[in-house]
Amino acid sequence: MKNITSSVYTFEDIVKDDFLYVDKTEFIWNLIRQGKAMYFLSRPRRFGKSLTVSTLKAVFQGKKELFKGLAIYDKPYDWKQYPVIHLDMGNCQAKTSEELKLHFVRLLENQCAEHQVNVKIQKEALAVSLEDFIDAVAAKNQVVILLDEYDKPILNTLTTPEATACRDVLKGFYSSIKKCESKERFVFVTGVTKFCHVSLFSDLNNLTDISMHRDYATMFGYTQGEFETYFADRIDTACKQLNMSREELLPEIKAWYDGFRFEEESETVYNPVSLAQFFTNSCKFNNYWFSTGTPSFLVELTKKADFNFEKTLSEPVMGLAFNAFEIDKIDPLALLLQTGYLTIKSSFVDLGETLYYLDFPNREVKNAFETYLISDYASIPQETVGANVFKMVKAIKARDINLFMELLKTFFAAVQYDVATDTEGRFQLLFYSVFLLIGVRVEAESRTNNGRIDAVICDGDHVYIFEFKINQTAGIALDQIREKEYFRKYQHSGRKIILVGANFDTVSRQITDWKSETTG
């Protein structure tokens, strides 16, 4: 049983230290076999981008012996050696344009030393410095350029005034890659996000974007077949350790860590880090991928934009949601998709246009993101959020609606006074997030033939129908449920129906009263 690692990203080290490697070299061969090529590919963090870059580096350095037993080893390829310029931005911590310039100076100086060329690196002429460096390295042979995590400096500053200045530095620096095209055998650029070509890659428009290409949709992450094949011995051990059958364990692991889809017709994939952490942490189900980097900038953006999760997760979106975007016009939906917190669940074609239904990829991402969102929004420690949600689930199962509502109030009681909750969007964001975390079936804004219900919780033989009003009364909310007969949708389900009307007051910033009655 080979060791598993989630911290080693160098292909050569993984092979020499005999770590488990899921063979993705068929994809590598497809990228390089056509000769000169330039690609861009975006994927969420911790999905194997750096390992792929390292694998490409070993291929272009002609280290065929490392690939024995892998798909590419017997492919028709000449294994010719090329000088590889590896520009890794993953460790860049620059928060200003000046710091970013200094980072590039150090990066190029290190590259000069590695390739044993003498080039003057100028902080105020970085583009020229990079061109001179490429010229020097390519003096005898075409070069390979591997640019990893190109957008890290922008993500560092995304919600700060420095974002635009850092973008401009990057644009000038990266433009040199296009100018030196004749000297390049292969270029591969990775990142988390897709910033618009107009602002960042206008001079690097020869990159082929394969981020949503069907042929490369499972290049990163593990398919179900790969998981069951490469982790077979680990799965058997986990079954014994957890005292679960294979038929019980596999669906549970899938619910927690699978579900990422990068093209509408393609198979879903598991997050590699989550699986590695699961098996190396005594097979405990936990939020491993999410905990490797909390998305504070995403939470801030969703709050500022009054992002409507309910609408996003219940209505189809157009393909424009997957497009690149400008720094000064950030679309939270596009960012949530590109960073992996939302993914494609299904698609259909209407009038020639492909439409997509979206959702959280899996239980790990949904629970962790909602917990973090609520914790940040209401200034409640994450462990307290989890404890209160657990109590709310118990209250629902105990049919104690009064306790449920009292616990719901605790979330609003903690909301900071500089956070606006006087709009329906802000109120519903917190409300809907709490309900998602409950884990029972929730249909926020459930459609009927006579209107929309705020939320429905289906649990066993009971259905709870909620209607919330702002600055009105619980009685008015309950009257609306009766008048529009929201309960009719569930009357023939054989379940007991509980109607709950409640009011949220924007002055006290709290749920002030509620009423409930049972029907059906």
Side-chain angles (χ1 to χ4, degrees):
M1 191 159 56
K2 290 191 174 183
N3 290 328
I4 299 175
T5 180
S6 60
S7 58
V8 177
Y9 307 113
T10 303
F11 176 75
E12 186 168 352
D13 290 341
I14 286 178
V15 172
K16 289 184 175 180
D17 292 338
D18 203 29
F19 285 113
L20 176 67
Y21 174 72
V22 176
D23 188 1
K24 297 288 186 176
T25 60
E26 182 84 28
F27 295 103
I28 298 289
W29 181 69
N30 284 327
L31 286 174
I32 67 175
R33 67 189 177 94
Q34 299 175 5
K36 188 180 183 71
M38 299 184 175
Y39 297 103
F40 170 78
L41 191 148
S42 70
R43 281 295 182 271
R45 60 188 172 78
R46 305 301 300 275
F47 246 90
K49 296 189 294 297
S50 296
L51 176 57
T52 299
V53 166
S54 175
T55 308
L56 281 164
K57 186 174 183 178
V59 169
F60 284 113
Q61 288 175 333
K63 298 180 178 180
K64 184 177 181 180
E65 71 281 359
L66 294 175
F67 295 86
K68 192 170 184 177
L70 300 178
I72 196 174
Y73 188 80
D74 296 316
K75 296 291 184 182
Y77 179 69
D78 59 12
W79 294 93
K80 182 179 177 180
Q81 293 184 26
Y82 294 88
V84 179
I85 298 173
H86 184 191
L87 304 174
D88 185 0
M89 302 299 293
N91 295 322
C92 178
Q93 301 299 322
K95 297 295 179 66
T96 68
S97 58
E98 282 301 306
E99 290 177 359
L100 181 56
K101 291 176 183 178
L102 290 173
H103 176 84
F104 277 131
V105 169
R106 290 191 294 270
L107 184 65
L108 287 180
E109 287 177 343
N110 289 337
Q111 284 288 305
C112 286
E114 180 179 329
H115 290 275
Q116 298 180 334
V117 295
N118 185 19
V119 176
K120 184 179 180 181
I121 307 301
Q122 305 174 68
K123 182 167 74 76
E124 299 305 325
L126 288 169
V128 173
S129 298
L130 178 56
E131 288 179 50
D132 291 344
F133 169 66
I134 294 174
D135 286 343
V137 177
K140 295 182 180 180
N141 197 0
Q142 284 185 310
V143 301
V144 169
I145 298 180
L146 305 176
L147 173 55
D148 195 15
E149 303 286 1
Y150 87 97
D151 54 346
K152 181 62 161 50
I154 297 181
L155 294 179
N156 288 346
T157 60
L158 194 57
T159 57
T160 74
E162 284 289 327
T164 302
C166 287
R167 177 202 63 191
D168 293 341
V169 173
L170 291 177
K171 180 180 179 181
F173 187 75
Y174 294 154
S175 67
S176 297
I177 298 176
K178 171 67 179 294
K179 293 176 183 177
C180 297
E181 181 180 356
S182 62
K183 302 177 179 66
E184 296 159 358
R185 156 66 173 89
F186 184 85
V187 175
F188 190 69
V189 179
T190 80
V192 172
T193 56
K194 293 197 293 183
F195 291 106
C196 190
H197 285 275
V198 173
S199 65
L200 187 58
F201 284 152
S202 58
D203 297 321
L204 192 51
N205 54 11
N206 56 334
L207 293 173
T208 300
D209 186 355
I210 58 173
S211 301
M212 291 188 66
H213 195 294
R214 185 174 302 181
D215 292 347
Y216 300 98
T218 58
M219 182 176 177
F220 296 80
Y222 305 147
T223 64
Q224 187 68 29
E226 288 170 336
F227 167 52
E228 293 189 35
T229 299
Y230 285 91
F231 291 82
D233 47 4
R234 296 279 178 174
I235 294 171
D236 291 340
T237 300
C239 287
K240 295 176 183 177
Q241 188 169 340
L242 299 175
N243 194 26
M244 298 174 70
S245 69
R246 191 180 182 88
E247 292 71 26
E248 292 172 323
L249 179 61
L250 287 179
E252 190 70 6
I253 298 177
K254 186 177 182 67
W256 269 89
Y257 304 122
D258 190 21
F260 296 89
R261 180 179 278 117
F262 299 110
E263 194 271 339
E264 62 268 21
E265 300 296 329
S266 297
E267 190 176 353
T268 58
V269 293
Y270 288 82
N271 178 271
V273 167
S274 297
L275 282 183
Q277 293 282 358
F278 170 75
F279 285 113
T280 56
N281 282 277
S282 304
C283 300
K284 293 180 181 178
F285 290 101
N286 211 331
N287 302 317
Y288 298 113
W289 175 68
F290 191 93
S291 65
T292 61
T294 51
S296 55
F297 67 93
L298 272 176
V299 172
E300 192 62 33
L301 286 170
T302 55
K303 284 164 55 180
K304 285 183 177 179
D306 280 351
F307 187 75
N308 191 327
F309 275 98
E310 181 274 320
K311 182 178 180 180
T312 301
L313 301 184
S314 63
E315 298 180 2
V317 301
M318 299 177 67
L320 292 173
F322 301 91
N323 286 356
F325 54 88
E326 297 283 6
I327 290 175
D328 55 352
K329 296 178 182 177
I330 297 174
D331 181 358
L333 176 56
L335 202 54
L336 285 163
L337 281 165
Q338 292 172 24
T339 51
Y341 295 101
L342 293 179
T343 196
I344 301 170
K345 282 302 177 182
S346 62
S347 65
F348 64 95
V349 177
D350 185 24
L351 299 176
E353 179 77 32
T354 302
L355 300 175
Y356 304 85
Y357 280 104
L358 310 176
D359 204 348
F360 294 102
N362 50 46
R363 190 179 302 163
E364 173 186 33
V365 177
K366 180 176 83 77
N367 288 357
F369 189 82
E370 293 296 332
T371 299
Y372 190 90
L373 181 66
I374 294 169
S375 176
D376 183 84
Y377 191 89
S379 292
I380 301 174
Q382 293 185 36
E383 58 272 18
T384 303
V385 172
N388 283 359
V389 166
F390 179 71
K391 292 175 184 177
M392 291 176 75
V393 173
K394 291 184 67 175
I396 283 291
K397 294 187 177 300
R399 315 305 175 205
D400 190 341
I401 194 63
N402 288 326
L403 176 58
F404 177 88
M405 295 300 293
E406 287 291 347
L407 289 167
L408 183 58
K409 286 178 64 175
T410 63
F411 290 104
F412 292 98
V415 174
Q416 298 175 12
Y417 273 88
D418 60 350
V419 176
T421 53
D422 56 351
T423 67
E424 186 173 352
R426 290 290 178 91
F427 166 69
Q428 187 158 349
L429 174 62
L430 184 54
F431 164 77
Y432 184 64
S433 299
V434 172
F435 270 57
L436 275 179
L437 271 177
I438 294 172
V440 292
R441 184 170 170 233
V442 176
E443 303 174 23
E445 293 287 337
S446 178
R447 290 172 179 79
T448 70
N449 62 356
N450 194 27
R452 291 162 67 88
I453 311 168
D454 274 350
V456 175
I457 296 179
C458 300
D459 181 66
D461 58 357
H462 281 63
V463 176
Y464 297 84
I465 297 176
F466 292 84
E467 179 66 31
F468 283 84
K469 292 297 179 184
I470 295 179
N471 296 330
Q472 297 185 50
T473 67
I476 292 175
L478 198 57
D479 288 342
Q480 181 171 321
I481 299 176
R482 298 193 202 97
E483 290 168 7
K484 296 203 172 187
E485 297 184 322
Y486 290 153
F487 49 83
R488 281 193 177 275
K489 180 178 179 180
Y490 305 94
Q491 273 188 323
H492 302 293
S493 65
R495 292 165 165 164
K496 184 168 289 188
I497 303 169
I498 299 174
L499 315 180
V500 182
N503 179 64
F504 180 83
D505 180 73
T506 56
V507 176
S508 63
R509 302 157 65 86
Q510 187 52 273
I511 298 171
T512 53
D513 63 324
W514 63 84
K515 291 183 178 180
S516 64
E517 64 180 48
T518 302
T519 184

